[in-house]
Every structure is written in C-alpha cells, then in structure tokens.
Amino acid sequence: MTLLLVTVTILLFFSVPIAVSLGFASLIVLQIEGIPLITLAQSVFESLDSFVLMAVPFFILAGNLMQTGGISKRLINLSNALVGWFRGGLGSASVLAAMFFSTMSGSSSATTAAIGTTLIPAMEKKGYPKPFATATVAAAGEIGVIIPPSIGMVVYGLIANVSIGSLFMAGFIPGLLIGLSLIITIIIVARVKGFDIVQNQSKREWLKELWRSFSDAFLALLMPLIILGGIYRGWFTPTEASVVAVLYGLVIGLFVYREITWTDLLPIFSKSMVTTSVIMMIVAYTSIFSFIVTKEQVPQKLGEAIAGFSDNPIVFLLLVNIFLFITGTLLEGLVTIILVTPILAPVAAHFGIDLVHFGIIMIVNAAIGMLTPPVAVNLVVASKIANIPASKLTRPVLLYLFILTVDVLIITYVPVLSTWLPSLMK
C-alpha cells in the first residue's frame, strides 16, 4: 500500500494525469504482488458498467446546454431583481444565481463559468474591487456541487453504496446555509467598504422588474422542479432525471429561447464528451486503486489506528475535516471524493456515522478545495474570466475560506442539517 501511495504521489508531482497515475501505480503493485494483470482490465471495465454512472455525462451535457441556451442568463437576471435593490445586492445576486444554477448543472466549475461571465464585469461597474468580485463568484460557484443534482454526490453514492436520492435531499439545507452565510458576508463587506451604491427605485418599478424577470425565467425555473420533483416523487431515477434534464435544456434552448443554433450543438457535445472522458477515466482507474486498498484492509487498519488514538466520533470527524482540507489543496474536488471515499467511508461506518451525513461532509470539503491553491479550480476559472492573476485574490479568498470553514464545522457537528430531509423519504 505504501508503494502505491508513494508512486501516485510522485507521478502527480510530475504533473502526470490523475487517471494515468492511478493506473500505472496500480499496475506496478499488481505486478510485484503477483496478481494477474488481467485484474486491471476487468476492474476498469466493470467499474464503468454502471447504470448510476450514466448520470454523469448527461448532467455535464445538461449544464453545457443551459449555459449556452440562455437559461443561466435568465436566472442571473431574476437573482439580480430579487436581491439587487440593497447595498451588496449584486454580489448577493451572484450567490443566488449560483444556487439556482446548481439545481441543474451539478458542477462547481460550470456554475462559476456560467455566472462569472456576466456578473464579474457587472460588479466591477458598480464599484466592487475586481479581486473581491472575482473571489465572490469563485466562492459562490462551489455551491454547484452541494445543492443537488451533484456529480460528486452521484460518484460518492456509487462508491459508498449510498442512496443517491438521499444524498440529493441531504444537500439542500447545507447548500442553503452556505449560500446565506456568503450573502451575509457580502452585505457586511459592501457596507463597510462603501461600494455597490444602489440607485433609488420605487416599489412599483421594482415589482415590475421582478415580474418581468420571473416571467422570462419561468421555464428555466421549471427545470429543477421537474428534475428533482421527479426523483423524489419516484417518477424516475437520478440517471433518468439526467436524461430529462438534457432533453428539457435542448428543447428550451433550441426552440423556445432560440439561443442555441444547430451549429452550436457539435461544440456543446464535444465539450461535454471531453469532460466526461476525463471523469470516467479517473473513475475507471480508481476501481483498481480501491481493489488494492480493500485487499490490504486499509480502512480497517485506519479505523483501528484512529480508535487507538481516540474512540470519539467527534475527534474522528475533526481529523477528517483537516485531512480533506489538506487534500483539497492538492487535488480537484471530484478526484478527492473518488480517492478518499473507499478509505474513509468504511471507517465512518465503524464509528456509527450516517454515511449520507458523511457524504455531505466530504462534498462540502471537496467544494472548499475549489478555492484553495494550488489547484483551486474555481479560482482559476474566475480569474481567467476576469483576466486577473489568481495571486491577487488572496485577501478576499481568505475571508470566504474562514466563513466556509465555520459552515463545514456546523454541517459536521449538526448532522440533522443533512439527515432531516432524507428521513422524510423513509
């Protein structure tokens, strides 16, 4: 097991792709231990033979269709109409827009890209410092993997053998908590720093603008109701829901909003295929990694080691949060979930921790990793949109990281936030 971890670490250090690193390291271990190499091929193909895993490419495609098809733009306009009337409202609108968009995309980086293109320049025009506006969009984007549907939840549920429907339900309240904490932070900073001066607007004008934005975004708002409502009502599975999301996004963007043309479809499908192939390669080669981890009884040994240190689940969860925070600085969020779940989920079960609650803890930590350099996918996406070096975002990012750390501790030690809604399904 030591050889496996050392080899993977060295390969990652030299910027070898994650999937190649996992596959090559596993190949070396299998060869040394005399395990037939056909095991690698069998494990890789069997891991991809999953109905649940089919949801990943469809949710990715749905997100790209919504981003191109005008749905994200209408959600941004509605968010701005709802909260843009007070100081700090435009920054708050970026968080609210991310919460809306996350109910459809399932991806943190896609959410950041969808809202950042419009809102970073808009915030800058209203007096927001460019680094703060960029960091705000990056922080808001992380909600994309917390409020369902979430690609990370699909992958975690598959690996940990946990109901994906329950995970989807569990993500709502933590996602709302994080969104509210970010909005409060933005309002306070805007008032203290004195930016985002709001022009006077009569109540009648505001209601008129709100109604216009709501009417324009009505079909976009129906999408999460159809997808999530269908899952929870038992009309279709999460995988089938992802197909419904693609069909709905295609019809709305192509025939209703008419912002997708037939010539746009090939680039949209190509982009989705490339993203899907990267994720699927990582999932495939993680299967053999998981095989070796299980064979070496790593979860059992880790559980015994932690129990020897402390048999208190509170201490265990604190150690998990610290470990995931460190891991999140080095690995992309989905990769963290894929690599760590086979090791930590059995240990969490050993401590009597609900695996749905534990999954939300992992998802939120992985989302925070989108803001922690050097990987920091959301920061990279947002800084490219704003055309500003990521190094200039340090101060506002540290503020958001502090708020998010408080959030993750609340989510960790108040499990009812994650377990209450799933309990209503039983």
Side-chain angles (χ1 to χ4, degrees):
M1 186 60 200
T2 302
L3 176 62
L4 177 67
L5 294 177
V6 170
T7 306
V8 169
T9 302
I10 292 173
L11 292 173
L12 291 176
F13 179 79
F14 286 103
S15 300
V16 177
I18 298 289
V20 177
S21 300
L22 291 172
F24 186 71
S26 300
L27 187 67
I28 292 175
V29 173
L30 292 177
Q31 182 71 34
I32 290 176
E33 296 191 0
I35 299 174
L37 297 184
I38 190 65
T39 304
L40 177 63
Q42 290 173 338
S43 180
V44 165
F45 282 102
E46 287 176 4
S47 67
L48 297 178
D49 185 18
S50 168
F51 179 74
V52 172
L53 202 56
M54 288 176 62
V56 174
F58 285 111
F59 275 131
I60 291 172
L61 177 56
N64 288 331
L65 286 170
M66 287 180 287
Q67 189 173 344
T68 308
I71 291 178
S72 58
K73 179 178 68 177
R74 286 165 172 80
L75 294 176
I76 289 172
N77 291 338
L78 175 60
S79 301
N80 192 35
L82 284 169
V83 298
W85 50 271
F86 55 79
R87 175 165 283 187
L90 189 57
S92 301
S94 67
V95 178
L96 192 59
M99 294 169 74
F100 280 138
F101 193 78
S102 66
T103 62
M104 309 175 202
S105 72
S107 167
S108 179
S109 55
T111 301
T112 303
I115 65 174
T117 307
T118 300
L119 284 171
I120 291 176
M123 281 192 278
E124 195 176 1
K125 286 180 181 178
K126 290 204 71 174
Y128 284 76
K130 196 171 186 178
F132 183 79
T134 307
T136 297
V137 167
E142 75 157 47
I143 301 174
V145 296
I146 300 171
I147 295 180
S150 164
I151 295 172
M153 290 179 185
V154 172
V155 174
Y156 172 85
L158 180 67
I159 297 174
N161 194 27
V162 175
S163 166
I164 294 172
S166 295
L167 287 168
F168 281 4
M169 288 290 280
F172 273 110
I173 295 178
L176 292 174
L177 170 67
I178 290 173
L180 181 61
S181 68
L182 292 177
I183 287 173
I184 292 172
T185 302
I186 293 165
I187 292 172
I188 293 173
V189 172
R191 289 183 178 275
V192 171
K193 298 293 185 180
F195 54 76
D196 195 358
I197 299 174
V198 181
Q199 296 178 348
N200 291 328
Q201 185 182 36
S202 69
K203 184 177 180 181
R204 184 174 180 178
E205 290 175 333
W206 174 70
L207 289 173
K208 185 177 179 180
E209 174 64 19
L210 181 61
W211 174 250
R212 187 194 65 78
S213 300
F214 176 78
S215 301
D216 197 31
F218 179 73
L219 291 176
L221 293 172
L222 277 182
M223 189 172 182
L225 293 178
I226 293 171
I227 296 171
L228 300 175
I231 293 173
Y232 304 139
R233 297 283 294 180
W235 296 338
F236 35 71
T237 66
T239 301
E240 293 164 345
S242 66
V243 179
V244 172
V246 169
L247 182 61
Y248 190 89
L250 185 62
V251 170
I252 295 299
L254 202 58
F255 300 113
V256 181
Y257 294 156
R258 296 183 180 181
E259 296 198 21
I260 296 178
T261 64
W262 292 105
T263 55
D264 291 327
L265 292 180
L266 183 58
I268 291 172
F269 276 87
S270 299
K271 180 181 178 181
S272 303
M273 289 169 62
V274 170
T275 305
T276 298
S277 64
V278 172
I279 294 174
M280 290 302 185
M281 286 285 287
I282 296 172
V283 171
Y285 285 105
T286 300
S287 64
I288 193 64
F289 177 85
S290 301
F291 169 79
I292 296 172
V293 165
T294 303
K295 180 179 176 296
E296 297 292 328
Q297 296 186 322
V298 172
Q300 292 86 340
K301 294 176 181 177
L302 181 61
E304 292 172 0
I306 294 176
F309 176 76
S310 173
D311 59 358
N312 191 330
I314 294 177
V315 176
F316 166 71
L317 289 174
L318 179 61
L319 294 174
V320 166
N321 281 320
I322 294 172
F323 172 72
L324 290 175
F325 184 86
I326 295 172
T327 306
T329 64
L330 304 173
L331 299 174
E332 195 270 334
L334 189 60
V335 177
T336 300
I337 293 168
I338 291 171
L339 291 179
V340 173
T341 298
I343 299 174
L344 291 183
V347 182
H350 169 77
F351 278 92
I353 297 167
D354 187 298
L355 288 184
V356 171
H357 174 221
F358 189 72
I360 299 302
I361 294 172
M362 289 197 62
I363 296 292
V364 174
N365 273 287
I368 292 175
M370 298 292 203
L371 287 177
T372 50
V375 176
V377 176
N378 281 13
L379 282 185
V380 172
V381 172
S383 62
K384 285 183 178 179
I385 292 172
N387 194 26
I388 182 176
S391 58
K392 291 188 176 181
L393 307 178
T394 302
R395 288 186 66 182
V397 166
L398 286 176
L399 171 63
Y400 286 125
L401 284 176
F402 172 76
I403 299 301
L404 292 169
T405 300
V406 174
D407 288 336
V408 79
L409 290 175
I410 293 172
I411 292 166
T412 298
Y413 294 115
V414 187
V416 69
L417 296 176
S418 305
T419 59
W420 179 62
L421 285 178
S423 69
L424 299 180
M425 297 176 59
K426 297 178 181 178

